[in-house]
Amino acid sequence: MRKASSIALLFATLFIFWLLLNNSLAGDVLLIGIVATLLIALLFRGGRSPVSGFRPTPRAVAATFGYLIFFLAELVRSNLHIARVVLSPSLPISPAIVKVRTRLKSPMGRLLLANSITLTPGTLTVEIDGEWLYIHWVNAEATDIDAATAQIVAGFERYLEVMYG
Amino acid sequence: MTVSGIIGGLLLVLGAAFLLLAGLGLVRMPDLFNRIQAGTKATTLGTLLTLAGAACLHPEWTLKLLLIGLFILLTNPISSQVLARAAHRIGAAKSAKTTLDRLADDTEERP
């Protein structure tokens, strides 16, 4: 039963993508879309998508909007940071690979956390090992695990914890 | 020239400016990890701004451009992470400025 609903969800998502891309409701377009998306949904039924593991509660939906706003602000801040570093003649960097820990349990939550970290100022996820993440930091401000976790992970974890747990 | 045309043009120029910064970062940064950092962030925002500009100029493309933006947001960081991980595993050279590498420390400890 769970498998059937996950296939249906994947099928629906892919079919909506297909409709958006084609921008047409002609019979042949619909037929090809149904066949192709059904095939993909069956082949990848064990796979993960951003909706798998998402908690369907109002709090989680609110957290998603909070997360998106926080993320976009961080993305802009991140680019201004890179611009400042790249444009200054002295190239002010002091890189380090630090270790941080996440409280998130679900694989999708961890993936989104790693992605978010990569797009925030000066940090890049290099490796994930269970609850440990190894982060390359252009301007390492803290090298011990707790301080680095508070600075890099805590901001996103607050939202992702509510969304995925 | 309509208002949306002007906004779209400005967004395109801003996006191109960030893409230029990404290119400059690739040239100026000292090692592979720092280059990936500059490349990932600036190309993500640069491309998103370019897409937003295109959406202002051609409103009928908005849905498709939104979809492209979503895919870029999800896939751009993943590809960078995989590149960085592969580079670290084969022992890519790190800049002399690097102060600490906990990943190398931890992998050495394991047999």
Side-chain angles (χ1 to χ4, degrees):
Chain A
M1 185 56 221
R2 239 188 96 244
K3 201 152 229 179
S5 71
S6 88
I7 293 174
L9 193 64
L10 184 57
F11 174 78
T13 318
L14 290 173
F15 195 62
I16 290 170
F17 277 166
W18 173 264
L19 290 179
L20 288 176
L21 280 174
N22 278 286
N23 213 3
S24 140
L25 288 174
D28 50 349
V29 172
L30 288 182
L31 190 68
I32 294 170
I34 287 172
V35 171
T37 46
L38 193 63
L39 212 63
I40 297 172
L42 286 172
L43 284 174
F44 289 88
R45 58 184 174 276
R48 293 196 178 96
S49 79
V51 283
S52 59
F54 186 82
R55 293 176 176 168
T57 63
R59 261 192 80 210
V61 175
T64 308
F65 283 107
Y67 167 77
L68 284 177
I69 291 166
F70 184 68
F71 169 77
L72 288 176
E74 285 287 290
L75 181 61
V76 172
R77 218 159 62 78
S78 163
N79 275 273
L80 297 178
H81 169 256
I82 283 289
R84 209 176 57 233
V85 169
V86 167
L87 291 176
S88 52
S90 63
L91 203 67
I93 59 168
S94 62
I97 296 182
V98 299
K99 191 176 178 180
V100 297
R101 171 187 241 160
T102 175
R103 292 197 303 266
L104 298 175
K105 295 276 181 288
S106 75
M108 199 58 215
R110 282 179 179 168
L111 171 66
L112 283 181
L113 178 69
N115 271 4
S116 308
I117 288 172
T118 297
L119 292 174
T120 50
T123 51
L124 164 75
T125 312
V126 177
E127 179 80 271
I128 302 185
D129 181 16
E131 57 178 352
W132 301 103
L133 282 85
Y134 295 87
I135 315 283
H136 180 271
W137 207 349
V138 170
N139 279 307
E141 292 153 31
T143 47
D144 77 274
I145 292 171
D146 289 333
T149 304
Q151 242 178 313
I152 298 177
V153 178
F156 287 112
E157 215 172 46
R158 217 168 16 149
Y159 298 108
L160 289 171
E161 211 166 27
V162 183
M163 288 157 65
Y164 293 98
Chain B
M1 197 84 188
T2 57
V3 180
S4 70
I6 294 170
I7 296 173
L10 284 176
L11 285 172
L12 283 178
V13 171
L14 202 62
F18 277 114
L19 291 171
L20 176 70
L21 281 175
L24 194 61
L26 286 185
V27 177
R28 289 209 66 202
M29 287 299 198
D31 66 3
L32 184 137
F33 298 102
N34 289 301
R35 288 197 176 112
I36 293 180
Q37 292 250 18
T40 318
K41 295 168 219 301
T43 54
T44 307
L45 188 62
T47 315
L48 288 182
L49 287 173
T50 312
L51 293 175
C56 287
L57 295 175
H58 293 272
E60 71 275 14
W61 294 353
T62 305
L63 280 178
K64 277 183 204 178
L65 294 170
L66 213 64
L67 211 56
I68 297 172
L70 187 70
F71 283 131
I72 286 174
L73 267 180
L74 280 173
T75 54
N76 218 358
I78 293 181
S79 57
S80 302
Q81 281 153 210
V82 174
L83 279 175
R85 182 170 71 170
H88 197 279
R89 282 186 182 170
I90 62 163
K94 288 184 293 262
S95 149
K97 286 180 173 173
T98 309
T99 51
L100 175 86
D101 187 346
R102 281 206 200 268
L103 180 53
D105 298 346
D106 284 7
T107 31
E108 269 164 33
E109 274 167 32
R110 267 174 245 143

